[in-house]
Amino acid sequence: PQDNMVELVAKLWEHGFQTIILVDDGSNIENRVYFKTCKEKYNCRIIRHVINFGKGMALKSAFNFLLKDYSLLKGAVTVDCDGQHSLEDIITCAQLTHENPDHLILGCRQFDDSSIPLRSRFGNKFTRLTITLLCGIKVSDTQTGLRGMSRDLIEQYFASTKGERFEYEMNMLIEAKEHMIP
């Protein structure tokens, strides 16, 4: 986490997102100041993993926390802390999740931009091709951190989807395909 995480949380809070859950997945002690700021200024709930368990475990920890402690929430939007997702895209994702509770909503990054590192562009193209060939799933961004899903989908499928690290995101897509979740 960096200052851009705090800035994003501030924008979300100002726009009316009142339930913000942050997962500290084993970050260094000196980085905890960002989580503390978000908790104190914006009433964020913090889930702390003492060691890095991986993105999949971080998401599942947040999903289980939401299911246990926030019975009135109808869904969730996941957002990476690095600031790559705009407030407008997050709002759109939340609206689409509300309007389409039986869908998995995916925010898709544009990989044509030459400022995106070659490794990221290659990785996305490779995983996109692989998941299309092996599973018949066609999406333009298999590793997007911007995803929206209803509480029912979280409870029925995604809180228990296999995977602890980045493979979890691919497994979510496979799970959606297997259960015919658009």
Side-chain angles (χ1 to χ4, degrees):
Q2 297 177 352
D3 287 328
N4 57 359
M5 180 182 83
V6 178
E7 291 166 13
L8 177 61
V9 166
K11 289 177 188 175
L12 291 168
W13 181 261
E14 289 165 8
H15 192 76
F17 289 90
Q18 300 296 304
T19 304
I20 301 173
I21 301 168
L22 301 176
V23 181
D24 176 354
D25 190 32
S27 67
N28 296 330
I29 290 175
E30 61 268 15
N31 290 333
R32 290 186 181 169
V33 65
Y34 302 110
F35 293 98
K36 182 179 180 187
T37 299
C38 290
K39 180 177 181 174
E40 290 174 356
K41 283 189 168 184
Y42 307 107
N43 199 31
C44 294
R45 299 297 304 259
I46 310 298
I47 298 170
R48 177 159 288 126
H49 295 169
V50 178
I51 61 170
N52 179 283
F53 287 116
K55 188 171 185 181
M57 286 300 294
L59 289 168
K60 289 190 276 188
S61 291
F63 292 158
N64 284 301
F65 185 76
L66 178 148
L67 292 172
K68 180 180 165 278
D69 290 4
Y70 291 96
S71 61
L72 297 179
L73 286 183
K74 301 214 182 292
V77 174
T78 65
V79 180
D80 292 338
C81 78
D82 58 9
Q84 67 178 300
H85 308 296
S86 71
L87 177 63
E88 294 77 20
D89 289 343
I90 296 166
I91 293 166
T92 299
C93 191
Q95 289 170 336
L96 290 170
T97 300
H98 178 73
E99 294 166 6
N100 303 281
D102 59 334
H103 287 58
L104 172 61
I105 307 299
L106 302 174
C108 297
R109 298 167 291 179
Q110 299 297 318
F111 286 91
D112 299 336
D113 185 345
S114 61
S115 69
I116 295 173
L118 180 61
R119 189 181 81 173
S120 296
R121 285 186 283 163
F122 175 78
N124 186 63
K125 286 180 182 180
F126 178 77
T127 57
R128 189 174 65 208
L129 178 63
T130 301
I131 200 162
T132 299
L133 292 174
L134 296 178
C135 306
I137 299 170
K138 292 185 179 184
V139 295
S140 61
D141 187 355
T142 59
Q143 300 293 311
T144 180
L146 180 58
R147 296 178 183 218
M149 64 215 76
S150 69
R151 177 185 196 84
D152 288 342
L153 290 179
I154 293 169
E155 192 167 28
Q156 291 177 28
Y157 307 109
F158 301 132
S160 59
T161 296
K162 292 183 179 172
E164 296 179 0
R165 298 199 172 273
F166 285 107
E167 79 279 5
Y168 173 80
E169 294 173 312
M170 296 288 282
N171 290 342
M172 277 182 83
L173 296 175
I174 294 167
E175 187 93 9
K177 167 99 174 164
E178 287 176 357
H179 296 286
M180 295 183 284
I181 301 166

